[in-house]
Amino acid sequence: MKTAVIVFPGSNCDRDLAVAIETITGTAPVMLWHGETELPAGLGLIALPGGFSYGDYLRSGAMSARSSIMRAVVDAAGRGVPVLGICNGFQVLTEAGLLPGALMRNAGINFVCRDVALTVDNSQSIFTSRYDAGEAITIPVAHHDGNYFADDATLDRIEGEGRVAFRYAEAVNGSARNIAGVISDGGNVLGMMPHPERMIEAAHGGDDGRRLFEGLLEAVA
Amino acid sequence: MSGITPQIVAEHGFSPEEYERVLHAMGREPNMTELGIFSVMWSEHCSYKSSKIHLMKLPTTGPQVICGPGENAGVVDIGDGQAAIFKMESHNHPSYIEPYQGAATGVGGILRDVFTMGARPIANMNALRFGRPDHPKMRHLISGVVRGIGGYGNCVGVPTVGGEVNFHPAYDGNILVNAMTVGIADTDKIFYSAASGVGNSIVYVGSKTGRDGIHGATMASADFGEDSEAKRPTVQVGDPFTEKLLIEACLELMASDAIVAIQDMGAAGLTSSSVEMASKGGVGLLLNMDAVPQRETGMTAYEMMLSESQERMLMVLKPGREDFAEAIFRKWDLDFAVIGEVTDTGRMVLTHHGETVCDIPLAPLADDAPLYDRPAASKEEYKAWANVQPLGDIPESTDIAADLLKLMASPDIASRRWIWEQYDHMVGADTVQRPGGDAAVVRVHGSQKGIAISTDCTPRYCYADPYEGGKQAIAECYRNLSAVGSTPLAVTNCLNFANPQRPEIMAQLTGCLEGMGDACRALDFPIVSGNVSLYNESKATGGGSAILPTPAIGGIGLLADVDNMATVAFKAEGEAIWLIGGEGTHLGQSIWLREIQGQEHGSAPSVDLAKERANGDLVRSLVKSGTLTAVHDVADGGLTVTIAEMALAGGIGAELSITLNTATAFGEDQARYVVTAAVGTDIPGATQIGMTGGQSVTGIPLADLRAAHEGFFPALMGSDAALA
């Protein structure tokens, strides 16, 4: 599977994401600088990594959402290319309008980094096909702005359409309806605050993140 | 014409004698810019004038050492053509004045010390000392420092993997914030700071220079007065986003052969970086102040040379490589300016608006710096002054279990989870032992090797007996690194003391250094980098109160294979628990004595270095052979606290067969470990003291122990557990 990882100034999980993708798909992703204007042809996945793009000095993800590469990413998403945004990548996707809602400051005010219990809400997506619906998994979070917000009508709609990929099974950041990951109406864009790339081998303390990439590989290949 | 009055001299931190030396070095009266440069270069912070003659006695060599003290950081060989580069540094005074920015820029500064040598930073650690938890200012300070460390480290994407925290009233008016960074480089790509090559360009990269932080180094070299609030403008502001870009740009340039020398601009900014580069290379410098990237208008040469604006580096490039280098820094949206050249004059000449504004001979600036052999109190004089009461008769614990529960919730022992969950300790996806164990372990990317890291010091021991306390800091670090199974390689130190002009404080400094030196020699654990922070005393809390002597140690060890690593958690029920190093006897200066009896009496435990080494060797070999299922060193709180921590980490209790009395339960004798192994395994020289199993320790349910252990910080700081 041909993949790309977008690198914004201040991205800091780009290497970790690339390692996870290469480990699981067998092929290293293309690393694409934010200033590029075009994507390589034939991508099976575009991944937006975690980090503090532009320092999060404006709203998290707001600056990166307006970088030149994001125009190409939005176009590709419209054509159905799978797009995965993790942590800061999720924030960029909401700021770019590819996903509904917004990520606000954690309800507890502090940055939070720890393993959290998640529930897989929907196992029918290209991102979650290797999980069982209702399955309990553990994946770490590391964020300051992970408090998912959308108005009730939007929340009702994405829940009704089965677009909640993951929910927190414990109190983490105050997210509306405990939503940890959201899928686009087209089904090909996932944004999530937890870091699956940090949970892919025994040395990480578990490998619950692995099946997300394995499922994608299967769905796209 | 420059009009240097005695008042100006005093404001720059010079004694009249020191100013005489300036006049002699210059051969004339300096102007303000020159005086400012002398002031920062001869400050305690930059010149080590009170500590240097004692630091020179420390062991700094070994087959593993590639570069010892004197460069930006220490460098040790970790095999396979790779080196670990590391250092710890203080940011105490700024963190008291403005905790968030003080701590944040402390992290930024130590990161630069490490990546300036060519290393990619792989881990941050810290060593923090706060005052009484109920001091009216302390929650503000704790919150600010923790958020500052996290805010900077999280953004640059370097995991903060652990540290240590103590509380004591002696830090009420002068907290300590010591930050450590470890990086990895290829041994053939290590960069040093000595400038060379007459005519080579001197290049400034990074952020622009502003008026922030002027005289930070001088501030860090004086006692705190009542006016510390008024010094807030001397604290710098950090920009971790720019630091992240600077790391990537520098490492990208370092992959080429364009750099001759490179140095970060830390304390005393452009002054110390340029002077150190020129002095080490034995060359002169010509700098054009008009070319310095400036954030504000109308800055004087004095202000530019003394600014401590953050995220800046100075380098000497090979001829003709300027355009190549500039393209890299432009890509990363960073300033790049050729601001001067290397000369053969041996002088530092600055021009501004077409005029020469500074012309200093570099040799005397470096060589004529004051060097003090300050008087130190004798051991007896110190003892009398320190006034540590003899232990005397202490009552036996009437309820070991109740005392254990109390200790688990006490400030120095309680879980630090509230702190480390605010640090991204996993970014990099190579943190294979997270905070909360004896040492953090970070995998060397792309390999099975691991770097174990621990920061250690027991200030109350150092106060009671500086020599034994100095030994103990090294020994405990050695023990923590051994406990995870790593081979201890080398240490960095961060020597925090009060005013060295007091003989008792000098006795603390010399005593601790003597103890550290002896321990390092006995354990083949050399000191390869460090930092000295003096004048840590504050009049703010009422009358010249000195901190406890706090020579913080940051050590690293090497694991050949991270799959072969020990952790503190009990792994299974029905395993044998063994104690290595003998039963506890020593209650002097123990946490039990302080928390339960309210006394800080008695002698510090003495450290038998031969035993320390033998027991460390034993534990390491048993971890390597896969014999042990869990390892934890015995430290603050003694045996029962050690076992309770292992039980909580594993969610499995313990049935102890050892007879517990106050000394065996809570004694803080050194060179000890608790380990577990399958039943039937013999651990030579150790005593079996019980079995894992059940859901309690000394009869206390794990749930109660956990509530006590986890409760302290959320209760103090306001819990985030209740959020929905």
Side-chain angles (χ1 to χ4, degrees), chain B residues 159-198:
Chain B
T160 303
V161 294
E164 59 166 351
V165 188
N166 288 139
F167 293 87
H168 194 280
Y171 305 105
D172 276 356
N174 195 128
I175 61 169
L176 302 182
V177 175
N178 298 169
M180 173 179 178
T181 296
V182 183
I184 300 290
D186 290 338
T187 50
D188 61 355
K189 280 281 180 194
I190 295 169
F191 292 83
Y192 296 99
S193 58
S196 67
V198 171

Side-chain angles (χ1 to χ4, degrees), chain B residues 406-696:
Chain B
K406 240 180 174 171
L407 293 195
M408 291 300 283
S410 67
D412 278 0
I413 291 177
S415 166
R416 274 76 178 111
R417 184 183 307 277
W418 181 88
I419 295 178
W420 82 60
E421 285 189 349
Q422 295 187 54
Y423 302 152
D424 187 342
H425 49 270
M426 305 178 202
V427 61
D430 282 314
T431 305
V432 295
Q433 184 152 168
R434 297 181 187 177
D438 281 329
V441 180
V442 180
R443 187 168 53 186
V444 177
H445 192 67
S447 81
Q448 277 296 101
K449 285 189 297 189
I451 303 293
I453 316 168
S454 179
T455 54
D456 297 283
C457 179
T458 313
R460 63 185 189 277
Y461 296 170
C462 294
Y463 181 80
D465 186 335
Y467 175 74
E468 286 298 334
K471 270 165 69 183
Q472 196 271 345
I474 296 289
E476 183 169 359
C477 188
Y478 178 88
R479 208 179 305 142
N480 281 324
L481 296 174
S482 299
V484 299
S486 77
T487 305
L489 285 179
V491 302
T492 178
N493 60 19
C494 191
L495 305 170
N496 308 276
F497 291 89
N499 185 341
Q501 297 180 45
R502 296 162 64 189
E504 298 82 11
I505 304 301
M506 274 313 287
Q508 294 176 341
L509 178 69
T510 56
C512 284
L513 285 176
E514 220 176 291
M516 285 171 56
D518 283 352
C520 288
R521 274 182 286 272
L523 301 172
D524 285 330
F525 200 27
I527 291 174
V528 296
S529 59
N531 159 251
V532 180
S533 173
L534 301 177
Y535 297 96
N536 287 292
E537 48 187 273
S538 168
K539 296 179 178 68
T541 52
S545 57
I547 61 158
L548 299 181
T550 313
I553 297 299
I556 67 165
L558 180 64
L559 272 157
D561 183 353
V562 293
D563 287 343
N564 209 344
M565 164 183 88
T567 65
V568 301
F570 286 155
K571 301 299 182 303
E573 304 225 346
E575 293 194 325
I577 305 173
W578 296 77
L579 172 61
I580 295 173
E583 291 188 2
T585 60
H586 191 98
L587 287 169
Q589 295 300 326
S590 67
I591 293 276
W592 178 84
L593 192 65
R594 190 177 79 192
E595 296 296 326
I596 306 297
Q597 300 295 334
Q599 299 176 3
E600 296 184 63
H601 298 173
S603 59
S606 61
V607 180
D608 178 339
L609 293 166
K611 185 175 164 187
E612 199 68 70
R613 184 172 182 137
N615 290 353
D617 288 346
L618 172 67
V619 167
R620 253 177 281 122
S621 72
L622 291 171
V623 172
K624 198 173 176 193
S625 65
T627 308
L628 304 181
T629 50
V631 181
H632 193 3
D633 86 307
V634 181
D636 281 353
L639 179 68
T640 49
V641 166
T642 305
I643 289 171
E645 287 172 346
M646 298 174 84
L648 288 178
I652 297 169
E655 295 294 334
L656 299 181
S657 50
I658 185 176
T659 309
L660 289 179
N661 55 39
T662 313
T664 58
F666 305 114
E668 296 182 5
D669 305 66
Q670 301 293 298
R672 299 193 299 154
Y673 302 80
V674 173
V675 303
T676 58
V679 170
T681 311
D682 184 48
I683 310 290
T687 318
Q688 191 182 331
I689 58 168
M691 299 284 290
T692 62
Q695 281 294 308
S696 67

Side-chain angles (χ1 to χ4, degrees), chain B residues 250-310:
Chain B
C250 285
L251 291 177
E252 193 172 325
L253 180 60
M254 284 164 166
S256 75
D257 62 350
I259 298 174
V260 173
I262 181 165
Q263 165 92 34
D264 73 301
M265 296 192 216
L270 193 49
T271 292
S272 71
S273 55
S274 59
V275 169
E276 281 172 26
M277 290 180 84
S279 297
K280 280 184 186 147
V283 296
L285 296 177
L286 175 62
L287 300 181
N288 174 12
M289 293 289 103
D290 301 300
V292 172
Q294 294 160 50
R295 203 171 59 217
E296 301 172 50
T297 54
M299 289 185 72
T300 64
Y302 177 94
E303 288 170 329
M304 281 185 261
M305 290 306 287
L306 269 55
S307 163
E308 291 192 359
S309 292
Q310 299 289 293

Side-chain angles (χ1 to χ4, degrees), chain B residues 279-452:
Chain B
S279 297
K280 280 184 186 147
V283 296
L285 296 177
L286 175 62
L287 300 181
N288 174 12
M289 293 289 103
D290 301 300
V292 172
Q294 294 160 50
R295 203 171 59 217
E296 301 172 50
T297 54
M299 289 185 72
T300 64
Y302 177 94
E303 288 170 329
M304 281 185 261
M305 290 306 287
L306 269 55
S307 163
E308 291 192 359
S309 292
Q310 299 289 293
E311 292 90 23
R312 302 178 300 160
M313 312 281 277
L314 198 63
M315 53 195 181
V316 177
L317 291 181
K318 286 187 181 160
R321 303 306 299 274
E322 294 85 350
D323 290 347
F324 169 78
E326 180 165 6
I328 291 174
F329 284 87
R330 294 292 173 213
K331 173 190 152 192
W332 290 99
D333 290 327
L334 294 165
D335 268 300
F336 176 100
V338 175
I339 63 164
E341 64 181 72
V342 178
T343 67
D344 59 2
T345 60
R347 303 180 76 84
M348 181 157 85
V349 178
L350 309 180
T351 62
H352 195 208
H353 301 320
E355 284 178 30
T356 298
V357 292
C358 165
D359 185 352
I360 293 177
L362 283 163
L365 180 59
D367 302 340
D368 293 0
L371 198 57
Y372 297 121
D373 186 359
R374 297 196 187 277
S378 70
K379 282 207 165 82
E380 291 67 35
E381 289 165 342
Y382 177 76
K383 244 181 156 170
W385 174 84
N387 196 26
V388 176
Q389 305 294 313
L391 192 54
D393 285 338
I394 42 166
E396 269 292 309
S397 168
T398 52
D399 188 339
I400 300 263
D403 287 358
L404 171 60
L405 200 58
K406 240 180 174 171
L407 293 195
M408 291 300 283
S410 67
D412 278 0
I413 291 177
S415 166
R416 274 76 178 111
R417 184 183 307 277
W418 181 88
I419 295 178
W420 82 60
E421 285 189 349
Q422 295 187 54
Y423 302 152
D424 187 342
H425 49 270
M426 305 178 202
V427 61
D430 282 314
T431 305
V432 295
Q433 184 152 168
R434 297 181 187 177
D438 281 329
V441 180
V442 180
R443 187 168 53 186
V444 177
H445 192 67
S447 81
Q448 277 296 101
K449 285 189 297 189
I451 303 293

